[in-house]
Amino acid sequence: MLTLRIALRNLRRNGRRTTVTATAVTAATALLVISLCLMDGMHAGTVHNATAMVAGEVEVHAAGYRASPRIHRTVAAADRILARAHQAGLDAVTRSYGDGLLALGTHTVGARFWGIDPAAERRAFELARHVARGAFLDAPGDGKAVPVVLGARLARSLHAEVGSEVAAIVQGDQGSMGSGLLRVTGILQAVSTEVDLGAAILRRADFDVLFGAHAAVNEIALTSHGRLPADAVAAAVQEVAGGAEVLTWRGLSPGLAEMLGVFSAFTWMAGVIFLASAALGVTNTMLMATFERFREFGVILALGGGPRRVLLDVATEALVLGVAGGVAGALLGLGGAAWLSVHGIELGGHELLLSGVAFDSVWRARVTAEAVVLPALAMGVICALASLYPAARAARLDPVVAMAQR
């Protein structure tokens, strides 16, 4: 307690310098907290968009399907995988895919047709809630035209609107040609490059008729809704997958995973810069205080206080300065991050893509205990370490020379 009282007294000696240094430490900590929360928000939001919209945390395909997607390459163990997913408490959907052309007036565009179960998609994923115009396969067909939901850019390329009737020409399961008339019931918001450019989504029954397929399962998407790590979801079905390829979202989107890793590295680099700037400020303050107190330190050493006593006094001052600034900065940063978690930062766009995945136009922070507590603790430790140099200089003083200082 005596050491702490002496440290507080010495910090009050030059209130202006102490205030400036404490303010710098507080600002650096607050900026670090806000930066970490923003990066956590971006990471969580991007992963959520990548996994909760369509892909899921894990996808299962037939071996070789992703390299060369063909409608006849189906997941043979689909029933076993779905049963195991149900046992593990996972949501799973099956999808069929086929390629073809869509035509409206003079516009013809290549498309990838999806065959889905709308009810299952609504339970497991959020794609059905990201319809910009119209509805997501809610109404049955009228007997003349099959309902279809189009990706945003695909609809623009076709100049299609809700209610437009488009012609479809496809290559069926056995190589035969199929055709049909589709009515656009919905147009999606920006989801991902793949969905936006080419997705034409049909009910499974309508897909089977158009392609001459029979409940072909080209893909199984699984999700725990964030309850389990992606690797755990993959492990839950790997045993019954047979020769099928089971990949987590990182394996499905390696570019996205790598980009998120790079952003995290940049964030920690910025954190190091903030901590270093605070450490330099504390070092400067302690050096100035040490020079002003040479006579005092000389007296302490002459009275038998010893170098350890001087070292402890200087280090305690820096620790108090760092802890006070770190706590104040953490609270200030917490307030700023909490505000940004609600209001966010408007990025001024409606179709922002990050490595092919839609990124929300409002960038919101995500407040976590780690992002708030770690900077405060790190700041206290860094400030204590920053005091070691001036403290060591003070501890090595010659008492006679030091007491002669004016």
Side-chain angles (χ1 to χ4, degrees), residues 8-15 18 289 292-293 296:
L8 292 173
R9 181 203 66 187
N10 290 329
L11 289 173
R12 287 196 299 268
R13 278 183 173 181
N14 193 320
T18 299
E292 292 176 356
R293 296 164 59 196
E296 177 186 335

Side-chain angles (χ1 to χ4, degrees), residues 85-98:
H86 179 72
Q87 292 174 1
L90 305 174
D91 272 331
V93 299
T94 60
R95 300 179 183 130
S96 303
Y97 293 108

Side-chain angles (χ1 to χ4, degrees), residues 21-277:
T21 305
T23 301
V25 172
T26 299
T29 307
L31 287 173
L32 182 54
V33 169
I34 291 173
S35 298
L36 290 177
C37 289
L38 280 172
M39 288 307 302
D40 280 348
M42 187 198 73
H43 187 282
T46 304
V47 172
H48 179 270
N49 286 348
T51 60
M53 200 77 67
V54 176
E57 293 154 4
V58 169
E59 283 186 359
V60 182
H61 303 92
Y65 176 82
R66 295 180 66 246
S68 180
R70 296 290 185 270
I71 191 171
H72 64 272
R73 290 182 176 170
T74 60
V75 180
D79 291 339
R80 294 198 301 272
I81 293 172
L82 293 174
R84 179 60 61 87
H86 179 72
Q87 292 174 1
L90 305 174
D91 272 331
V93 299
T94 60
R95 300 179 183 130
S96 303
Y97 293 108
D99 296 321
L101 296 174
L102 287 175
L104 176 60
T106 60
H107 304 285
T108 303
V109 180
R112 192 170 201 209
F113 294 82
W114 301 24
I116 67 164
D117 178 351
E121 293 285 344
R122 287 185 181 279
R123 286 194 304 269
F125 296 103
E126 298 180 2
L127 182 64
R129 298 197 291 273
H130 281 70
V131 177
R133 301 190 297 279
F136 188 82
L137 301 178
D138 290 329
D142 57 8
K144 297 180 180 179
V146 172
V148 64
V149 173
L150 301 180
R153 298 188 191 180
L154 176 60
R156 283 204 298 268
S157 298
L158 277 172
H159 291 75
E161 298 292 343
V162 174
S164 297
E165 291 189 351
V166 297
I169 302 174
V170 303
Q171 184 173 7
D173 187 16
Q174 303 299 323
S176 61
M177 301 300 293
S179 62
L181 184 64
L182 313 180
R183 175 174 287 110
V184 179
T185 63
I187 298 174
L188 296 170
Q189 299 175 10
V191 175
S192 68
T193 301
E194 180 183 3
V195 175
D196 296 348
L197 287 174
I201 306 174
L202 308 171
R203 286 190 176 87
R204 172 63 61 78
D206 295 329
F207 177 93
D208 288 349
V209 171
L210 181 62
F211 281 85
H214 303 285
V217 176
N218 300 121
E219 175 180 284
I220 302 176
L222 304 109
T223 179
S224 68
H225 302 285
R227 181 173 52 86
L228 298 173
D231 291 336
V233 175
V237 299
Q238 184 70 66
E239 183 181 348
V240 298
E245 183 181 49
V246 181
L247 290 176
T248 67
W249 68 268
R250 293 182 182 85
L252 295 165
S253 303
L256 177 64
E258 184 176 349
M259 185 173 294
L260 290 175
V262 170
F263 284 161
S264 295
F266 278 138
T267 302
W268 286 110
M269 287 174 60
V272 170
I273 294 173
F274 290 146
L275 292 174
S277 64

